[in-house]
Amino acid sequence: MSAVQDFAPTPLFFSDSAVAKVRELVEEEENPGLKLRVYVTGGGCSGFQYGFSFDEEQNEDDTAIVKDGITLLVDVMSYQYLVGATVDYQEGLQGSQFTVTNPNASSTCGCGSSFTI
């Protein structure tokens, strides 16, 4: 016997290191209203690319992920490409940056900033 269940998509995950870096940047700017926005645009060597910005405004149709008082925003068009992804902050030989680990991406480019579904 099998049962059919309707599951809501897994939201985005916001790593502890990303939360800590956003908190640091918000404190530097002395603007507690700033939120990190992650979005997907067309382009890049693999078809789509990730983008990050800081935003004071939350649109009505944005998805907001709040962790430890820090907010990550995703617009409705980007959300479909980012369901289940993890937004992280990494420091390494290539510098410091926010990154996305996306289980929906079938391939990514060498720099990791663009992907294909």
PDB file of all heavy atoms in Angstrom, residues 5-47:
ATOM      1  N   GLN A   5       1.660  11.839  -0.695  1.00  0.00           N
ATOM      2  CA  GLN A   5       1.741  12.976   0.214  1.00  0.00           C
ATOM      3  C   GLN A   5       2.167  14.201  -0.563  1.00  0.00           C
ATOM      4  O   GLN A   5       2.973  14.112  -1.484  1.00  0.00           O
ATOM      5  CB  GLN A   5       2.734  12.712   1.343  1.00  0.00           C
ATOM      6  CG  GLN A   5       2.315  11.581   2.250  1.00  0.00           C
ATOM      7  CD  GLN A   5       3.311  11.352   3.362  1.00  0.00           C
ATOM      8  OE1 GLN A   5       4.469  11.746   3.271  1.00  0.00           O
ATOM      9  NE2 GLN A   5       2.872  10.704   4.411  1.00  0.00           N
ATOM     10  N   ASP A   6       1.619  15.323  -0.193  1.00  0.00           N
ATOM     11  CA  ASP A   6       1.953  16.587  -0.836  1.00  0.00           C
ATOM     12  C   ASP A   6       2.891  17.353   0.099  1.00  0.00           C
ATOM     13  O   ASP A   6       2.487  17.754   1.181  1.00  0.00           O
ATOM     14  CB  ASP A   6       0.683  17.396  -1.090  1.00  0.00           C
ATOM     15  CG  ASP A   6       0.957  18.650  -1.888  1.00  0.00           C
ATOM     16  OD1 ASP A   6       1.998  18.714  -2.568  1.00  0.00           O
ATOM     17  OD2 ASP A   6       0.118  19.562  -1.830  1.00  0.00           O
ATOM     18  N   PHE A   7       4.144  17.501  -0.319  1.00  0.00           N
ATOM     19  CA  PHE A   7       5.132  18.193   0.499  1.00  0.00           C
ATOM     20  C   PHE A   7       5.398  19.570  -0.077  1.00  0.00           C
ATOM     21  O   PHE A   7       5.517  19.739  -1.280  1.00  0.00           O
ATOM     22  CB  PHE A   7       6.461  17.421   0.544  1.00  0.00           C
ATOM     23  CG  PHE A   7       6.374  16.119   1.287  1.00  0.00           C
ATOM     24  CD1 PHE A   7       6.267  14.925   0.600  1.00  0.00           C
ATOM     25  CD2 PHE A   7       6.383  16.090   2.667  1.00  0.00           C
ATOM     26  CE1 PHE A   7       6.184  13.733   1.267  1.00  0.00           C
ATOM     27  CE2 PHE A   7       6.299  14.888   3.346  1.00  0.00           C
ATOM     28  CZ  PHE A   7       6.196  13.706   2.643  1.00  0.00           C
ATOM     29  N   ALA A   8       5.521  20.559   0.788  1.00  0.00           N
ATOM     30  CA  ALA A   8       5.918  21.902   0.357  1.00  0.00           C
ATOM     31  C   ALA A   8       7.400  21.865   0.009  1.00  0.00           C
ATOM     32  O   ALA A   8       8.160  21.102   0.605  1.00  0.00           O
ATOM     33  CB  ALA A   8       5.666  22.909   1.473  1.00  0.00           C
ATOM     34  N   PRO A   9       7.837  22.668  -0.964  1.00  0.00           N
ATOM     35  CA  PRO A   9       9.250  22.697  -1.319  1.00  0.00           C
ATOM     36  C   PRO A   9      10.109  23.102  -0.120  1.00  0.00           C
ATOM     37  O   PRO A   9       9.687  23.891   0.718  1.00  0.00           O
ATOM     38  CB  PRO A   9       9.341  23.759  -2.410  1.00  0.00           C
ATOM     39  CG  PRO A   9       7.957  23.959  -2.895  1.00  0.00           C
ATOM     40  CD  PRO A   9       7.051  23.586  -1.768  1.00  0.00           C
ATOM     41  N   THR A  10      11.292  22.533  -0.071  1.00  0.00           N
ATOM     42  CA  THR A  10      12.238  22.891   0.976  1.00  0.00           C
ATOM     43  C   THR A  10      12.704  24.322   0.720  1.00  0.00           C
ATOM     44  O   THR A  10      13.090  24.660  -0.388  1.00  0.00           O
ATOM     45  CB  THR A  10      13.451  21.949   0.944  1.00  0.00           C
ATOM     46  OG1 THR A  10      12.981  20.613   1.053  1.00  0.00           O
ATOM     47  CG2 THR A  10      14.404  22.254   2.077  1.00  0.00           C
ATOM     48  N   PRO A  11      12.640  25.176   1.731  1.00  0.00           N
ATOM     49  CA  PRO A  11      13.090  26.556   1.526  1.00  0.00           C
ATOM     50  C   PRO A  11      14.607  26.628   1.393  1.00  0.00           C
ATOM     51  O   PRO A  11      15.293  25.610   1.459  1.00  0.00           O
ATOM     52  CB  PRO A  11      12.626  27.250   2.807  1.00  0.00           C
ATOM     53  CG  PRO A  11      12.626  26.167   3.837  1.00  0.00           C
ATOM     54  CD  PRO A  11      12.218  24.921   3.088  1.00  0.00           C
ATOM     55  N   LEU A  12      15.091  27.813   1.229  1.00  0.00           N
ATOM     56  CA  LEU A  12      16.536  28.026   1.197  1.00  0.00           C
ATOM     57  C   LEU A  12      17.110  27.874   2.596  1.00  0.00           C
ATOM     58  O   LEU A  12      16.428  28.125   3.581  1.00  0.00           O
ATOM     59  CB  LEU A  12      16.848  29.439   0.713  1.00  0.00           C
ATOM     60  CG  LEU A  12      17.007  29.627  -0.772  1.00  0.00           C
ATOM     61  CD1 LEU A  12      15.695  29.491  -1.466  1.00  0.00           C
ATOM     62  CD2 LEU A  12      17.630  30.943  -1.035  1.00  0.00           C
ATOM     63  N   PHE A  13      18.366  27.505   2.634  1.00  0.00           N
ATOM     64  CA  PHE A  13      19.073  27.403   3.904  1.00  0.00           C
ATOM     65  C   PHE A  13      20.096  28.521   3.961  1.00  0.00           C
ATOM     66  O   PHE A  13      20.742  28.849   2.965  1.00  0.00           O
ATOM     67  CB  PHE A  13      19.744  26.030   4.030  1.00  0.00           C
ATOM     68  CG  PHE A  13      18.745  24.908   3.988  1.00  0.00           C
ATOM     69  CD1 PHE A  13      18.502  24.226   2.811  1.00  0.00           C
ATOM     70  CD2 PHE A  13      18.024  24.570   5.120  1.00  0.00           C
ATOM     71  CE1 PHE A  13      17.570  23.210   2.758  1.00  0.00           C
ATOM     72  CE2 PHE A  13      17.080  23.555   5.084  1.00  0.00           C
ATOM     73  CZ  PHE A  13      16.856  22.871   3.893  1.00  0.00           C
ATOM     74  N   PHE A  14      20.250  29.095   5.117  1.00  0.00           N
ATOM     75  CA  PHE A  14      21.099  30.261   5.364  1.00  0.00           C
ATOM     76  C   PHE A  14      22.136  29.813   6.380  1.00  0.00           C
ATOM     77  O   PHE A  14      21.825  29.608   7.548  1.00  0.00           O
ATOM     78  CB  PHE A  14      20.197  31.361   5.915  1.00  0.00           C
ATOM     79  CG  PHE A  14      20.676  32.768   5.802  1.00  0.00           C
ATOM     80  CD1 PHE A  14      21.743  33.136   5.009  1.00  0.00           C
ATOM     81  CD2 PHE A  14      20.013  33.766   6.503  1.00  0.00           C
ATOM     82  CE1 PHE A  14      22.149  34.452   4.917  1.00  0.00           C
ATOM     83  CE2 PHE A  14      20.407  35.087   6.420  1.00  0.00           C
ATOM     84  CZ  PHE A  14      21.474  35.426   5.630  1.00  0.00           C
ATOM     85  N   SER A  15      23.386  29.600   5.938  1.00  0.00           N
ATOM     86  CA  SER A  15      24.415  29.044   6.825  1.00  0.00           C
ATOM     87  C   SER A  15      24.785  30.003   7.944  1.00  0.00           C
ATOM     88  O   SER A  15      24.589  31.220   7.844  1.00  0.00           O
ATOM     89  CB  SER A  15      25.669  28.686   6.021  1.00  0.00           C
ATOM     90  OG  SER A  15      26.398  29.857   5.707  1.00  0.00           O
ATOM     91  N   ASP A  16      25.346  29.454   8.996  1.00  0.00           N
ATOM     92  CA  ASP A  16      25.791  30.266  10.133  1.00  0.00           C
ATOM     93  C   ASP A  16      26.847  31.282   9.715  1.00  0.00           C
ATOM     94  O   ASP A  16      26.846  32.414  10.187  1.00  0.00           O
ATOM     95  CB  ASP A  16      26.346  29.375  11.255  1.00  0.00           C
ATOM     96  CG  ASP A  16      25.270  28.534  11.927  1.00  0.00           C
ATOM     97  OD1 ASP A  16      24.068  28.880  11.801  1.00  0.00           O
ATOM     98  OD2 ASP A  16      25.617  27.523  12.567  1.00  0.00           O
ATOM     99  N   SER A  17      27.764  30.870   8.822  1.00  0.00           N
ATOM    100  CA  SER A  17      28.816  31.804   8.407  1.00  0.00           C
ATOM    101  C   SER A  17      28.239  32.942   7.571  1.00  0.00           C
ATOM    102  O   SER A  17      28.690  34.088   7.678  1.00  0.00           O
ATOM    103  CB  SER A  17      29.932  31.088   7.646  1.00  0.00           C
ATOM    104  OG  SER A  17      29.440  30.495   6.477  1.00  0.00           O
ATOM    105  N   ALA A  18      27.217  32.667   6.751  1.00  0.00           N
ATOM    106  CA  ALA A  18      26.569  33.739   5.979  1.00  0.00           C
ATOM    107  C   ALA A  18      25.833  34.689   6.904  1.00  0.00           C
ATOM    108  O   ALA A  18      25.899  35.912   6.744  1.00  0.00           O
ATOM    109  CB  ALA A  18      25.623  33.147   4.942  1.00  0.00           C
ATOM    110  N   VAL A  19      25.133  34.146   7.884  1.00  0.00           N
ATOM    111  CA  VAL A  19      24.422  34.980   8.858  1.00  0.00           C
ATOM    112  C   VAL A  19      25.408  35.881   9.600  1.00  0.00           C
ATOM    113  O   VAL A  19      25.170  37.085   9.763  1.00  0.00           O
ATOM    114  CB  VAL A  19      23.622  34.115   9.855  1.00  0.00           C
ATOM    115  CG1 VAL A  19      23.092  34.942  11.019  1.00  0.00           C
ATOM    116  CG2 VAL A  19      22.473  33.410   9.145  1.00  0.00           C
ATOM    117  N   ALA A  20      26.525  35.312  10.035  1.00  0.00           N
ATOM    118  CA  ALA A  20      27.524  36.084  10.773  1.00  0.00           C
ATOM    119  C   ALA A  20      28.096  37.211   9.915  1.00  0.00           C
ATOM    120  O   ALA A  20      28.283  38.341  10.397  1.00  0.00           O
ATOM    121  CB  ALA A  20      28.647  35.170  11.265  1.00  0.00           C
ATOM    122  N   LYS A  21      28.374  36.935   8.628  1.00  0.00           N
ATOM    123  CA  LYS A  21      28.930  37.961   7.750  1.00  0.00           C
ATOM    124  C   LYS A  21      27.911  39.060   7.467  1.00  0.00           C
ATOM    125  O   LYS A  21      28.253  40.252   7.483  1.00  0.00           O
ATOM    126  CB  LYS A  21      29.417  37.347   6.434  1.00  0.00           C
ATOM    127  CG  LYS A  21      30.140  38.351   5.557  1.00  0.00           C
ATOM    128  CD  LYS A  21      31.375  38.916   6.267  1.00  0.00           C
ATOM    129  CE  LYS A  21      32.141  39.880   5.404  1.00  0.00           C
ATOM    130  NZ  LYS A  21      33.323  40.416   6.076  1.00  0.00           N
ATOM    131  N   VAL A  22      26.665  38.692   7.236  1.00  0.00           N
ATOM    132  CA  VAL A  22      25.632  39.708   7.021  1.00  0.00           C
ATOM    133  C   VAL A  22      25.481  40.574   8.268  1.00  0.00           C
ATOM    134  O   VAL A  22      25.408  41.802   8.182  1.00  0.00           O
ATOM    135  CB  VAL A  22      24.283  39.069   6.619  1.00  0.00           C
ATOM    136  CG1 VAL A  22      23.177  40.119   6.580  1.00  0.00           C
ATOM    137  CG2 VAL A  22      24.411  38.377   5.267  1.00  0.00           C
ATOM    138  N   ARG A  23      25.479  39.948   9.438  1.00  0.00           N
ATOM    139  CA  ARG A  23      25.373  40.710  10.693  1.00  0.00           C
ATOM    140  C   ARG A  23      26.528  41.708  10.802  1.00  0.00           C
ATOM    141  O   ARG A  23      26.347  42.875  11.149  1.00  0.00           O
ATOM    142  CB  ARG A  23      25.370  39.765  11.895  1.00  0.00           C
ATOM    143  CG  ARG A  23      25.212  40.510  13.231  1.00  0.00           C
ATOM    144  CD  ARG A  23      25.256  39.594  14.444  1.00  0.00           C
ATOM    145  NE  ARG A  23      24.542  38.341  14.304  1.00  0.00           N
ATOM    146  CZ  ARG A  23      23.219  38.188  14.364  1.00  0.00           C
ATOM    147  NH1 ARG A  23      22.449  39.231  14.535  1.00  0.00           N
ATOM    148  NH2 ARG A  23      22.673  36.999  14.237  1.00  0.00           N
ATOM    149  N   GLU A  24      27.737  41.261  10.485  1.00  0.00           N
ATOM    150  CA  GLU A  24      28.916  42.128  10.534  1.00  0.00           C
ATOM    151  C   GLU A  24      28.758  43.319   9.578  1.00  0.00           C
ATOM    152  O   GLU A  24      29.034  44.470   9.941  1.00  0.00           O
ATOM    153  CB  GLU A  24      30.149  41.307  10.159  1.00  0.00           C
ATOM    154  CG  GLU A  24      31.440  42.081  10.110  1.00  0.00           C
ATOM    155  CD  GLU A  24      32.595  41.215   9.610  1.00  0.00           C
ATOM    156  OE1 GLU A  24      32.671  40.025   9.989  1.00  0.00           O
ATOM    157  OE2 GLU A  24      33.408  41.738   8.821  1.00  0.00           O
ATOM    158  N   LEU A  25      28.307  43.050   8.354  1.00  0.00           N
ATOM    159  CA  LEU A  25      28.144  44.121   7.366  1.00  0.00           C
ATOM    160  C   LEU A  25      27.025  45.089   7.751  1.00  0.00           C
ATOM    161  O   LEU A  25      27.163  46.303   7.560  1.00  0.00           O
ATOM    162  CB  LEU A  25      27.893  43.520   5.983  1.00  0.00           C
ATOM    163  CG  LEU A  25      29.065  42.728   5.404  1.00  0.00           C
ATOM    164  CD1 LEU A  25      28.635  41.963   4.160  1.00  0.00           C
ATOM    165  CD2 LEU A  25      30.252  43.630   5.110  1.00  0.00           C
ATOM    166  N   VAL A  26      25.939  44.563   8.291  1.00  0.00           N
ATOM    167  CA  VAL A  26      24.831  45.415   8.748  1.00  0.00           C
ATOM    168  C   VAL A  26      25.303  46.328   9.871  1.00  0.00           C
ATOM    169  O   VAL A  26      24.988  47.520   9.891  1.00  0.00           O
ATOM    170  CB  VAL A  26      23.628  44.545   9.187  1.00  0.00           C
ATOM    171  CG1 VAL A  26      22.605  45.361   9.967  1.00  0.00           C
ATOM    172  CG2 VAL A  26      22.982  43.887   7.976  1.00  0.00           C
ATOM    173  N   GLU A  27      26.086  45.781  10.801  1.00  0.00           N
ATOM    174  CA  GLU A  27      26.611  46.589  11.905  1.00  0.00           C
ATOM    175  C   GLU A  27      27.580  47.653  11.410  1.00  0.00           C
ATOM    176  O   GLU A  27      27.564  48.782  11.894  1.00  0.00           O
ATOM    177  CB  GLU A  27      27.269  45.686  12.952  1.00  0.00           C
ATOM    178  CG  GLU A  27      26.255  44.873  13.738  1.00  0.00           C
ATOM    179  CD  GLU A  27      26.880  43.831  14.653  1.00  0.00           C
ATOM    180  OE1 GLU A  27      28.136  43.697  14.677  1.00  0.00           O
ATOM    181  OE2 GLU A  27      26.115  43.129  15.339  1.00  0.00           O
ATOM    182  N   GLU A  28      28.418  47.309  10.418  1.00  0.00           N
ATOM    183  CA  GLU A  28      29.343  48.290   9.839  1.00  0.00           C
ATOM    184  C   GLU A  28      28.593  49.449   9.202  1.00  0.00           C
ATOM    185  O   GLU A  28      29.003  50.601   9.295  1.00  0.00           O
ATOM    186  CB  GLU A  28      30.242  47.636   8.779  1.00  0.00           C
ATOM    187  CG  GLU A  28      31.384  46.840   9.327  1.00  0.00           C
ATOM    188  CD  GLU A  28      32.210  46.186   8.215  1.00  0.00           C
ATOM    189  OE1 GLU A  28      32.128  46.626   7.047  1.00  0.00           O
ATOM    190  OE2 GLU A  28      32.942  45.241   8.534  1.00  0.00           O
ATOM    191  N   GLU A  29      27.489  49.150   8.530  1.00  0.00           N
ATOM    192  CA  GLU A  29      26.677  50.169   7.863  1.00  0.00           C
ATOM    193  C   GLU A  29      25.777  50.931   8.843  1.00  0.00           C
ATOM    194  O   GLU A  29      25.181  51.930   8.472  1.00  0.00           O
ATOM    195  CB  GLU A  29      25.814  49.537   6.765  1.00  0.00           C
ATOM    196  CG  GLU A  29      26.596  49.057   5.579  1.00  0.00           C
ATOM    197  CD  GLU A  29      27.278  50.178   4.819  1.00  0.00           C
ATOM    198  OE1 GLU A  29      26.656  51.227   4.596  1.00  0.00           O
ATOM    199  OE2 GLU A  29      28.453  49.999   4.454  1.00  0.00           O
ATOM    200  N   GLU A  30      25.675  50.404  10.053  1.00  0.00           N
ATOM    201  CA  GLU A  30      24.800  50.988  11.085  1.00  0.00           C
ATOM    202  C   GLU A  30      23.380  51.141  10.574  1.00  0.00           C
ATOM    203  O   GLU A  30      22.712  52.159  10.800  1.00  0.00           O
ATOM    204  CB  GLU A  30      25.369  52.322  11.579  1.00  0.00           C
ATOM    205  CG  GLU A  30      26.724  52.177  12.238  1.00  0.00           C
ATOM    206  CD  GLU A  30      27.319  53.497  12.700  1.00  0.00           C
ATOM    207  OE1 GLU A  30      26.701  54.557  12.487  1.00  0.00           O
ATOM    208  OE2 GLU A  30      28.405  53.444  13.302  1.00  0.00           O
ATOM    209  N   ASN A  31      22.908  50.108   9.863  1.00  0.00           N
ATOM    210  CA  ASN A  31      21.563  50.112   9.299  1.00  0.00           C
ATOM    211  C   ASN A  31      20.910  48.753   9.568  1.00  0.00           C
ATOM    212  O   ASN A  31      21.044  47.823   8.765  1.00  0.00           O
ATOM    213  CB  ASN A  31      21.614  50.395   7.802  1.00  0.00           C
ATOM    214  CG  ASN A  31      20.231  50.507   7.187  1.00  0.00           C
ATOM    215  OD1 ASN A  31      19.232  50.196   7.812  1.00  0.00           O
ATOM    216  ND2 ASN A  31      20.189  50.935   5.945  1.00  0.00           N
ATOM    217  N   PRO A  32      20.201  48.613  10.682  1.00  0.00           N
ATOM    218  CA  PRO A  32      19.606  47.325  11.035  1.00  0.00           C
ATOM    219  C   PRO A  32      18.506  46.873  10.075  1.00  0.00           C
ATOM    220  O   PRO A  32      18.062  45.727  10.128  1.00  0.00           O
ATOM    221  CB  PRO A  32      19.043  47.553  12.438  1.00  0.00           C
ATOM    222  CG  PRO A  32      18.879  49.027  12.549  1.00  0.00           C
ATOM    223  CD  PRO A  32      19.939  49.649  11.686  1.00  0.00           C
ATOM    224  N   GLY A  33      18.069  47.734   9.160  1.00  0.00           N
ATOM    225  CA  GLY A  33      17.040  47.379   8.196  1.00  0.00           C
ATOM    226  C   GLY A  33      17.557  46.665   6.961  1.00  0.00           C
ATOM    227  O   GLY A  33      16.769  46.223   6.123  1.00  0.00           O
ATOM    228  N   LEU A  34      18.886  46.528   6.825  1.00  0.00           N
ATOM    229  CA  LEU A  34      19.447  45.870   5.642  1.00  0.00           C
ATOM    230  C   LEU A  34      19.200  44.364   5.682  1.00  0.00           C
ATOM    231  O   LEU A  34      19.320  43.730   6.726  1.00  0.00           O
ATOM    232  CB  LEU A  34      20.947  46.125   5.537  1.00  0.00           C
ATOM    233  CG  LEU A  34      21.373  47.513   5.103  1.00  0.00           C
ATOM    234  CD1 LEU A  34      22.892  47.625   5.114  1.00  0.00           C
ATOM    235  CD2 LEU A  34      20.828  47.850   3.717  1.00  0.00           C
ATOM    236  N   LYS A  35      18.883  43.820   4.504  1.00  0.00           N
ATOM    237  CA  LYS A  35      18.661  42.388   4.342  1.00  0.00           C
ATOM    238  C   LYS A  35      19.489  41.931   3.138  1.00  0.00           C
ATOM    239  O   LYS A  35      19.648  42.682   2.177  1.00  0.00           O
ATOM    240  CB  LYS A  35      17.182  42.115   4.070  1.00  0.00           C
ATOM    241  CG  LYS A  35      16.252  42.602   5.166  1.00  0.00           C
ATOM    242  CD  LYS A  35      14.835  42.779   4.629  1.00  0.00           C
ATOM    243  CE  LYS A  35      13.905  43.371   5.636  1.00  0.00           C
ATOM    244  NZ  LYS A  35      14.265  44.703   6.101  1.00  0.00           N
ATOM    245  N   LEU A  36      19.986  40.698   3.181  1.00  0.00           N
ATOM    246  CA  LEU A  36      20.709  40.139   2.046  1.00  0.00           C
ATOM    247  C   LEU A  36      19.703  39.576   1.056  1.00  0.00           C
ATOM    248  O   LEU A  36      18.806  38.816   1.427  1.00  0.00           O
ATOM    249  CB  LEU A  36      21.667  39.034   2.487  1.00  0.00           C
ATOM    250  CG  LEU A  36      22.470  38.377   1.365  1.00  0.00           C
ATOM    251  CD1 LEU A  36      23.432  39.378   0.715  1.00  0.00           C
ATOM    252  CD2 LEU A  36      23.240  37.173   1.892  1.00  0.00           C
ATOM    253  N   ARG A  37      19.825  39.962  -0.200  1.00  0.00           N
ATOM    254  CA  ARG A  37      18.960  39.443  -1.261  1.00  0.00           C
ATOM    255  C   ARG A  37      19.807  38.563  -2.176  1.00  0.00           C
ATOM    256  O   ARG A  37      20.871  38.961  -2.624  1.00  0.00           O
ATOM    257  CB  ARG A  37      18.343  40.583  -2.060  1.00  0.00           C
ATOM    258  CG  ARG A  37      17.416  40.109  -3.177  1.00  0.00           C
ATOM    259  CD  ARG A  37      16.757  41.256  -3.901  1.00  0.00           C
ATOM    260  NE  ARG A  37      15.816  41.991  -3.078  1.00  0.00           N
ATOM    261  CZ  ARG A  37      14.572  41.598  -2.807  1.00  0.00           C
ATOM    262  NH1 ARG A  37      14.125  40.454  -3.306  1.00  0.00           N
ATOM    263  NH2 ARG A  37      13.774  42.339  -2.056  1.00  0.00           N
ATOM    264  N   VAL A  38      19.321  37.356  -2.452  1.00  0.00           N
ATOM    265  CA  VAL A  38      19.946  36.468  -3.431  1.00  0.00           C
ATOM    266  C   VAL A  38      18.958  36.332  -4.588  1.00  0.00           C
ATOM    267  O   VAL A  38      17.748  36.255  -4.375  1.00  0.00           O
ATOM    268  CB  VAL A  38      20.317  35.092  -2.830  1.00  0.00           C
ATOM    269  CG1 VAL A  38      19.109  34.346  -2.304  1.00  0.00           C
ATOM    270  CG2 VAL A  38      21.067  34.236  -3.842  1.00  0.00           C
ATOM    271  N   TYR A  39      19.489  36.350  -5.809  1.00  0.00           N
ATOM    272  CA  TYR A  39      18.618  36.278  -6.976  1.00  0.00           C
ATOM    273  C   TYR A  39      19.322  35.540  -8.099  1.00  0.00           C
ATOM    274  O   TYR A  39      20.536  35.326  -8.068  1.00  0.00           O
ATOM    275  CB  TYR A  39      18.178  37.681  -7.429  1.00  0.00           C
ATOM    276  CG  TYR A  39      19.327  38.627  -7.695  1.00  0.00           C
ATOM    277  CD1 TYR A  39      19.891  38.740  -8.963  1.00  0.00           C
ATOM    278  CD2 TYR A  39      19.862  39.410  -6.676  1.00  0.00           C
ATOM    279  CE1 TYR A  39      20.939  39.603  -9.214  1.00  0.00           C
ATOM    280  CE2 TYR A  39      20.912  40.275  -6.912  1.00  0.00           C
ATOM    281  CZ  TYR A  39      21.452  40.369  -8.178  1.00  0.00           C
ATOM    282  OH  TYR A  39      22.500  41.220  -8.418  1.00  0.00           O
ATOM    283  N   VAL A  40      18.521  35.141  -9.085  1.00  0.00           N
ATOM    284  CA  VAL A  40      19.023  34.431 -10.254  1.00  0.00           C
ATOM    285  C   VAL A  40      18.708  35.288 -11.475  1.00  0.00           C
ATOM    286  O   VAL A  40      17.600  35.796 -11.622  1.00  0.00           O
ATOM    287  CB  VAL A  40      18.352  33.050 -10.387  1.00  0.00           C
ATOM    288  CG1 VAL A  40      18.735  32.373 -11.689  1.00  0.00           C
ATOM    289  CG2 VAL A  40      18.702  32.174  -9.201  1.00  0.00           C
ATOM    290  N   THR A  41      19.701  35.447 -12.347  1.00  0.00           N
ATOM    291  CA  THR A  41      19.499  36.167 -13.599  1.00  0.00           C
ATOM    292  C   THR A  41      19.998  35.300 -14.751  1.00  0.00           C
ATOM    293  O   THR A  41      20.793  34.378 -14.552  1.00  0.00           O
ATOM    294  CB  THR A  41      20.260  37.514 -13.626  1.00  0.00           C
ATOM    295  OG1 THR A  41      21.665  37.256 -13.476  1.00  0.00           O
ATOM    296  CG2 THR A  41      19.796  38.438 -12.526  1.00  0.00           C
ATOM    297  N   GLY A  42      19.544  35.610 -15.940  1.00  0.00           N
ATOM    298  CA  GLY A  42      20.040  34.927 -17.121  1.00  0.00           C
ATOM    299  C   GLY A  42      21.439  35.429 -17.429  1.00  0.00           C
ATOM    300  O   GLY A  42      21.793  36.559 -17.135  1.00  0.00           O
ATOM    301  N   GLY A  43      22.243  34.566 -18.012  1.00  0.00           N
ATOM    302  CA  GLY A  43      23.606  34.951 -18.367  1.00  0.00           C
ATOM    303  C   GLY A  43      24.615  34.042 -17.722  1.00  0.00           C
ATOM    304  O   GLY A  43      24.289  33.003 -17.192  1.00  0.00           O
ATOM    305  N   GLY A  44      25.843  34.446 -17.763  1.00  0.00           N
ATOM    306  CA  GLY A  44      26.910  33.605 -17.236  1.00  0.00           C
ATOM    307  C   GLY A  44      27.248  32.516 -18.247  1.00  0.00           C
ATOM    308  O   GLY A  44      26.516  32.275 -19.197  1.00  0.00           O
ATOM    309  N   CYS A  45      28.323  31.841 -18.030  1.00  0.00           N
ATOM    310  CA  CYS A  45      28.779  30.848 -19.007  1.00  0.00           C
ATOM    311  C   CYS A  45      27.929  29.579 -18.995  1.00  0.00           C
ATOM    312  O   CYS A  45      27.972  28.810 -19.937  1.00  0.00           O
ATOM    313  CB  CYS A  45      30.252  30.528 -18.785  1.00  0.00           C
ATOM    314  SG  CYS A  45      30.691  30.100 -17.102  1.00  0.00           S
ATOM    315  N   SER A  46      27.107  29.374 -17.955  1.00  0.00           N
ATOM    316  CA  SER A  46      26.289  28.160 -17.891  1.00  0.00           C
ATOM    317  C   SER A  46      24.800  28.418 -18.077  1.00  0.00           C
ATOM    318  O   SER A  46      24.003  27.500 -17.977  1.00  0.00           O
ATOM    319  CB  SER A  46      26.514  27.446 -16.548  1.00  0.00           C
ATOM    320  OG  SER A  46      27.818  26.950 -16.462  1.00  0.00           O
ATOM    321  N   GLY A  47      24.382  29.650 -18.298  1.00  0.00           N
ATOM    322  CA  GLY A  47      22.977  29.918 -18.568  1.00  0.00           C
ATOM    323  C   GLY A  47      22.298  30.820 -17.550  1.00  0.00           C
ATOM    324  O   GLY A  47      21.566  31.720 -17.903  1.00  0.00           O
TER     325      GLY A  47
END
